[in-house]
Amino acid sequence: MKIFRQLFRFYINSSIHVGLSCLALLLITQQQLFFSSSFSLSLFVFLGTIFAYDFVKYESLIRRKKNAIRRELKVIVGFSAVVFLGLLYYFFQLQFRTQLGVFFIVLLTLLYALPFFPNRSNARNWKGIKIYIVSLCWTLTTVFLPALEGDFSLDGFVLLYGLQRFIMVFVLILIFEIVDLKNDDPLLQTVPQHIGLERTKKLGFGLLIFFIALDFWTGNFSLLSLFFILITAFFLAFANEKRSHYYTLFWVEAIPIFWWITLLFFSILGNLHFW
């Protein structure tokens, strides 16, 4: 049992789980918008998400405590180095226009992680801005990169779909911020710190209702989307400061993964698009 616990910890702490979550959203986009699938882009997004999250989580720790790095962290660093080599390979398999999109996302990620200006913290610690940068990065990665790679025009429908994705990721991050409310620095001014727990939940529920309304407006409504929006609402409703970190780090981040698996299941069965 000990080895399984260690493997699970590594799976979570090395960001493999969040990488699968981001990949699942990319695959959902390709399925729902009928974008042509790209193996290179899928692998790049999966590996790029792992490396980006490991970089954001551990960069400052490694930089400040070079002589006190735990064995587990050394393994993660080595794993991330291999991942970096893989994402570099798949980056050069992408179209030039997609590479330009990746470059913009990388700039946002670096702005989020590193203090570029003297005597200033990174964007991750700027008051209230963290949730917007992360939501934007996920939206660009899982909606607009596949559009660029597939030579699709960024028309109104794709932009509305991107708005839905931004809303979905925003609500998922709200759940994280609620669970982390007790441990987050008050200076961060996260949404629940700023407006309170109950108002944050009401905001999340309102955004999920707006998500469904956009589904009807664009003619993209499906019972499957409604089902996973209700699951998201369930996790939002029961989120609180006493929840284990695995409530978000595993279960909430697993929502897009289970969404994609279910969508794939119905696709294989050849069921109606209404699902």
Side-chain angles (χ1 to χ4, degrees):
M1 287 297 294
K2 183 179 179 181
I3 190 170
F4 287 111
R5 286 197 297 268
Q6 289 175 336
L7 288 173
F8 181 72
R9 278 175 53 85
F10 178 78
Y11 173 73
I12 296 296
N13 293 337
S14 64
S15 305
I16 296 175
H17 190 59
V18 71
L20 288 174
S21 184
C22 192
L23 173 62
L25 287 177
L26 171 73
L27 297 174
I28 289 170
T29 299
Q30 293 176 339
Q31 179 76 16
Q32 291 185 331
L33 297 191
F34 305 104
F35 286 171
S36 56
S37 59
S38 167
F39 181 78
S40 295
L41 179 62
S42 297
L43 264 295
F44 173 79
V45 167
F46 173 61
L47 298 174
T49 304
I50 292 174
F51 182 79
Y53 269 77
D54 284 349
F55 180 79
V56 169
K57 286 190 292 185
Y58 303 121
E59 178 274 334
S60 62
L61 184 63
I62 294 171
R63 178 162 40 90
R64 296 173 186 175
K65 301 179 180 179
K66 292 181 180 179
N67 298 322
I69 301 176
R70 302 190 318 272
R71 179 176 178 274
E72 181 186 6
L73 185 52
K74 289 180 180 178
V75 173
I76 291 175
V77 170
F79 172 74
S80 298
V82 175
V83 165
F84 180 71
L85 294 176
L87 75 88
L88 271 184
Y89 172 79
Y90 285 109
F91 172 79
F92 289 108
Q93 309 304 310
L94 303 177
Q95 293 196 55
F96 179 68
R97 56 190 283 178
T98 311
Q99 292 174 345
L100 291 178
V102 168
F103 180 70
F104 179 72
I105 296 171
V106 169
L107 285 180
L108 282 177
T109 303
L110 291 176
L111 177 65
Y112 177 78
L114 299 177
F116 280 101
F117 306 104
N119 303 319
R120 293 293 183 95
S121 62
N122 53 33
R124 188 182 189 185
N125 296 313
W126 295 354
K127 291 183 179 180
I129 199 171
K130 168 186 172 181
I131 191 170
Y132 299 100
I133 292 180
V134 177
S135 299
L136 179 59
C137 284
W138 276 63
T139 301
L140 293 173
T141 300
T142 64
V143 176
F144 295 105
L145 287 188
L148 291 172
E149 184 66 11
D151 290 324
F152 288 91
S153 60
L154 301 179
D155 56 19
F157 184 81
V158 174
L159 293 176
L160 284 175
Y161 189 88
L163 175 60
Q164 283 185 292
R165 180 59 48 77
F166 184 91
I167 290 170
M168 182 67 184
V169 176
F170 190 94
V171 173
L172 292 176
I173 298 174
L174 285 181
I175 302 174
F176 273 81
E177 292 192 343
I178 290 172
V179 173
D180 292 338
L181 185 56
K182 185 170 58 178
N183 299 317
D184 278 339
D185 187 334
L187 295 177
L188 285 178
Q189 283 295 290
T190 62
V191 175
Q193 286 176 340
H194 188 62
I195 66 176
L197 179 61
E198 293 305 316
R199 287 185 177 180
T200 298
K201 290 187 176 184
K202 289 178 181 178
L203 171 63
F205 293 138
L207 288 172
L208 292 177
I209 292 171
F210 184 51
F211 181 101
I212 294 298
L214 286 174
D215 254 358
F216 277 107
W217 188 28
T218 59
N220 202 37
F221 174 80
S222 70
L223 292 179
L224 190 59
S225 292
L226 177 61
F227 176 71
F228 279 98
I229 289 300
L230 291 176
I231 288 179
T232 304
F234 172 85
F235 276 98
L236 176 62
F238 288 94
N240 59 61
E241 302 146 85
K242 297 180 181 179
R243 294 290 180 189
S244 162
H245 284 299
Y246 289 115
Y247 184 84
T248 48
L249 292 177
F250 181 76
W251 292 109
V252 171
E253 285 184 351
I255 292 174
I257 299 173
F258 288 123
W259 191 343
W260 162 242
I261 292 172
T262 310
L263 188 64
L264 180 63
F265 174 76
F266 280 109
S267 176
I268 291 173
L269 287 181
N271 216 326
L272 297 175
H273 175 64
F274 184 65
W275 283 97

